[in-house]
Amino acid sequence: MSNQTMTFSEAFQQGVREEMGRNSDIFVLGTDLFERGGHFAQVKGLGPEFGQERVRDTPISEAAMVAAGVGAALYGLHPIVDLNFVDFALGAMDEITNQAAKIRFMLGRPVPLLIRATHGIALGGAHHQNSLEAWFMHTPGLAVAIPSTPADVKGLVKTALRAPDPVIFLMHKRLSGQRGEVGGPDDLVPFGQARVARPGTACTIVTYGGTVGPAIQAAETLSGKGIDAEVLDLRTLWPIDLDAVVDAARRHGRIVVVDEAPLVGSATAEIAAQVQQAAFHYLDGPVTRVGAIRAPLGANPKLIEAALPSVADIVAAVDGLFDPAQVTA
Amino acid sequence: MADDETPTAQLREWLEQMLLIRAFEETAEKLSLRGRIPGGIHAAVGQEAVAVGVMSALRENDVISSTHRSHHHALAKGLSPDGVMAELYARRDGVVGGRGGSMHLASFPLGHYGGNGIVGAGAGIAMGVALGIQHRRDDNVAVGFVGDGGVNVGRLWEAVNLAAIWSLPLVVVVENNQYAVETHVNRVTGGGDIVRRAAGFGVAAERVDGQDVVAVHRMIAGARDRAVSGAGPTLVEAVTYRYYGHNTGEVARYRTQEEIADWRSQRDPIDSARARLVAASALDDDGFAVLETAAHARVEKAVAFAEASPQPDPKTAADNVDAWDVAVTR
């Protein structure tokens, strides 16, 4: 680890800059990138440094942006398509799920393509609050990276830009300005390797991205009650480090899976199903999920707060696993 | 010379290719009806001159990206009839190992970047390839095929717009065979003019008789020159007609038998190429029969190849989805 401290967005920008420097096949396209550096400053400064051919401003044409990436990737380049908000991926879902994800399997040609988008719940209305990661995770051929620290942003984007396959790279809105140390030019973070975000011995809270922070806060609260909770940050939903989750289940017997997507059909459902099947006899209670209610997330902050899992909800879920009455209920 | 500029030897070669495509498609349709080909096919009988006219104007390193109706594109791009037929059978020796099927023929070494099951998507991929070509400063071009159905899909015009603003070396070929499945193009195309629609994006746009292989060849050669020179993309509407249904075994209630018979008898691309060669005293009836017999023999060989090809190993069903299980970096 170098001693450089920077924001989430700066970490992305530094990772991309380093990889663009070592590989001239990498270029980035998207809206408002060259001058502004993207709506989250995620590629700030790369325009003047690499020129307009490698930092391409596009119209708001998501289908064509991803199609451009797929075609250029098939030709041998390694494009980065910046979709701004992940909600806008819905205008390019054919290009993502039918084209990018399936071409290696069907036609035998890898599609080295990084699709970056800001995701997660903050404010902004129901068209800027979708949690689409379960859909991407569900799609064979796509990798899904959702970092929670600047170090992982940089390390994961560098890995993605050396990988031969399409990667959906999601950065949570609330983390854009979060600061932290990042690694050096040769520090890559592998996909499919979870990180212990907080060590603990009594149970494990499994999560990723924007809910890693709340999970750690919940663990601190639980520690005051004598429950030493581990927090496991998955970092990538595909490839997924199920071994780490199953291992945690075997060690602690108590697993809570947390994200902020609507619970029905979410990534937490997949993880819970896998864990109970692989480690059923080690479990001291049900694999418990914490997520959002089944409703679009609108504009009103109070309604959003009511829909989303809170730190208190995570604490309550863990508490429940230590309460014999609830376990047997 | 078969006309002012086209050597008879060249036209004869194009006729042979069109005969091969027709024999292939007519045979494939029968095999599909007999259940030998899983899932049905989209035959391009009647549209042979578009494929041959386009491919004959391209270099080997030029790239195409195609549609659901694309056996003719694959054969004209130089893919082996054996591998194409085996791919229709979804067998191990198919051009992509039986994983693509009729709608997903491809050969990257031959510049065929794949058919497509999604209307308009192939043109978008061709646009991306053109971006790659421009990025590398290569001197080839990308050609994206769509049908008249594709001109009413938004993604096509997003791609045309990007190609226009970046002056990409792209040629979009709209293979207007009159019907989007069963819906006539005139019923569903606002403004009624595909070429004018394209011109609105600031790209060169032209219409060509898609039943005239020489006219298609010349039009695409011009579009290719324009693309290579850096002058940007061209959209070519090739007006053509499919004699068979949208897919295997279709019962056509949406058009008359007279309409089909008119196109077959008046505007058949093979008949007109043959007539030109006959007029130039470069082909007689016996000579034509020899070519036709050779085309059928080639297709019979392809059928035998496909029939003999093994099924893919079921153990490979999850192979090559991604590389994450083998290597994280390259």
Side-chain angles (χ1 to χ4, degrees), chain A residues 24-25 53 56 59 61 63-64 68 72 75-76 78 94-95 99 104-107 109 141 143 159 162 165 191, chain B residues 96 99 104 108 116 118 121 127-128 131 134-138 140 155 158 162 166 317 320 323-324 328 330:
Chain A
S24 62
D25 287 338
E53 289 199 355
R56 280 185 183 257
S61 302
Y75 196 69
H78 200 139
D94 175 68
E95 285 71 17
Q99 314 299 336
R104 172 193 274 275
F105 175 86
M106 284 199 302
L107 310 183
R109 182 89 149 192
T159 298
R162 299 185 196 190
D165 291 314
F191 278 35
Chain B
V96 289
R99 288 172 165 226
H104 302 283
F108 289 90
N116 217 297
I118 302 300
M127 179 273 292
L131 176 60
Q134 188 185 67
H135 189 95
R136 287 261 169 91
R137 309 216 185 296
D138 289 343
N140 49 341
R155 65 173 64 88
E158 287 194 17
L162 270 194
W166 290 340
N320 210 23
W324 292 105
V328 167
R330 61 173 172 169

Side-chain angles (χ1 to χ4, degrees), chain B residues 30-82:
Chain B
K30 284 180 200 142
L31 291 164
S32 182
L33 285 169
R34 280 172 39 204
R36 300 304 302 159
I37 292 169
I41 61 163
H42 307 97
V45 181
Q47 302 178 208
E48 296 87 351
V50 180
V52 173
V54 171
M55 301 321 159
S56 64
L58 302 183
R59 311 268 165 86
E60 190 173 317
N61 65 345
D62 289 337
V63 171
I64 68 161
S65 179
S66 178
T67 69
H68 59 287
R69 188 181 315 283
S70 57
H71 309 160
H72 57 326
H73 301 151
L75 293 170
K77 193 74 172 91
L79 278 70
S80 149
D82 296 347

Side-chain angles (χ1 to χ4, degrees), chain B:
Chain B
M1 305 291 270
D3 58 36
D4 292 347
E5 288 169 33
T6 309
T8 52
Q10 195 170 50
L11 185 56
R12 188 186 165 94
E13 192 182 310
W14 298 345
L15 175 64
E16 285 178 36
Q17 289 180 25
M18 291 194 289
L19 284 168
L20 174 70
I21 291 166
R22 180 152 306 177
F24 185 97
E25 293 290 64
E26 289 179 337
T27 303
E29 180 86 2
K30 284 180 200 142
L31 291 164
S32 182
L33 285 169
R34 280 172 39 204
R36 300 304 302 159
I37 292 169
I41 61 163
H42 307 97
V45 181
Q47 302 178 208
E48 296 87 351
V50 180
V52 173
V54 171
M55 301 321 159
S56 64
L58 302 183
R59 311 268 165 86
E60 190 173 317
N61 65 345
D62 289 337
V63 171
I64 68 161
S65 179
S66 178
T67 69
H68 59 287
R69 188 181 315 283
S70 57
H71 309 160
H72 57 326
H73 301 151
L75 293 170
K77 193 74 172 91
L79 278 70
S80 149
D82 296 347
V84 174
M85 187 64 84
E87 192 56 46
L88 266 55
Y89 274 66
R91 298 291 177 88
R92 202 185 296 179
D93 300 306
V95 289
V96 289
R99 288 172 165 226
S102 161
M103 286 186 279
H104 302 283
L105 304 166
S107 168
F108 289 90
L110 291 172
H112 188 342
Y113 278 36
N116 217 297
I118 302 300
V119 170
I125 289 173
M127 179 273 292
V129 173
L131 176 60
I133 291 168
Q134 188 185 67
H135 189 95
R136 287 261 169 91
R137 309 216 185 296
D138 289 343
D139 62 355
N140 49 341
V141 304
V143 177
F145 287 92
V146 292
D148 47 286
V151 304
N152 291 316
V153 168
R155 65 173 64 88
L156 172 67
W157 301 109
E158 287 194 17
V160 167
N161 185 52
L162 270 194
I165 61 171
W166 290 340
S167 293
L168 297 181
L170 175 71
V171 181
V172 174
V173 178
V174 178
E175 206 163 356
N176 178 3
N177 68 10
Q178 317 291 322
Y179 292 93
V181 188
E182 301 197 357
T183 303
H184 195 272
V185 60
N186 289 350
R187 285 176 55 205
V188 292
T189 306
D193 189 325
I194 295 166
V195 165
R196 262 183 51 208
R197 195 183 277 188
F201 285 86
V203 304
E206 298 183 81
R207 185 175 294 114
V208 68
D209 178 1
Q211 305 307 84
D212 180 345
V213 67
V214 176
V216 175
H217 171 90
R218 286 189 188 148
M219 182 73 80
I220 299 300
R224 188 189 184 284
D225 287 347
R226 196 175 302 127
V228 171
S229 76
T234 303
L235 182 141
V236 174
E237 178 193 1
V239 179
T240 183
Y241 197 78
R242 71 170 145 76
Y243 297 167
Y244 287 16
H246 164 74
N247 56 325
T248 308
E250 175 194 275
V251 180
R253 294 196 184 85
Y254 55 92
R255 55 180 175 169
T256 62
Q257 290 306 311
E258 290 73 28
E259 180 184 295
I260 300 169
D262 277 355
W263 278 84
R264 283 196 100 132
S265 61
Q266 307 297 317
R267 303 189 57 186
D268 186 76
I270 290 174
D271 285 352
S272 67
R274 175 186 182 178
R276 276 186 197 179
L277 286 166
V278 169
S281 303
L283 188 72
D284 58 18
D285 287 353
D286 287 347
F288 182 77
V290 168
L291 298 183
E292 213 171 22
T293 303
H296 280 105
R298 183 68 192 86
V299 172
E300 287 313 310
K301 178 176 169 289
V303 173
F305 179 85
E307 290 280 349
S309 178
Q311 299 283 352
D313 183 348
K315 291 194 196 76
T316 64
D319 283 2
N320 210 23
V321 173
D322 57 40
W324 292 105
D325 51 346
V326 263
V328 167
T329 59
R330 61 173 172 169

Side-chain angles (χ1 to χ4, degrees), chain A residues 216-234:
Chain A
I216 292 171
Q217 285 176 48
E220 298 304 327
T221 304
L222 287 161
S223 143
K225 301 176 166 197
I227 298 173
D228 186 22
E230 178 186 65
V231 176
L232 193 64
D233 176 1
L234 291 169

